[in-house]
Amino acid sequence: FGATALHEAASRNNLVVLHSLCQRGAKVDATTKLGETPLIYAARENCVDSVNFFSIAAQTWITLERMGLPLK
């Protein structure tokens, strides 16, 4: 239903692929036709490492934005 590679990596707790996809510009807020993000996929599958990955990424993004640093 429109899941991306990021959705699949998140639901499999594959941090290597998550990191690689994000470095290459994958949209962490991409949604499926049902409106589900990669974070929702990770949470549904109890992939704690993936959930933590998205949490840390969000915190980093907010910090960089507040510092006025350019975001990729």
Side-chain angles (χ1 to χ4, degrees), residues 2-68:
T4 66
L6 201 62
H7 285 86
E8 296 302 323
S11 70
R12 289 176 172 79
N13 226 21
N14 192 331
L15 298 182
V16 172
V17 174
L18 282 176
H19 187 266
S20 178
L21 291 169
C22 287
Q23 280 189 315
R24 288 168 175 72
K27 292 181 59 178
V28 296
D29 59 347
T31 58
T32 64
K33 292 179 182 178
L34 299 175
E36 297 177 321
T37 64
L39 176 58
I40 292 171
Y41 267 46
R44 182 176 50 235
E45 297 299 323
N46 296 313
C47 295
V48 176
D49 292 337
S50 291
V51 170
N52 287 337
F53 175 88
F54 289 115
S55 175
I56 291 167
Q59 292 170 19
T60 301
W61 184 83
I62 290 168
T63 300
L64 291 174
E65 185 177 61
R66 287 183 180 163
M67 293 173 66

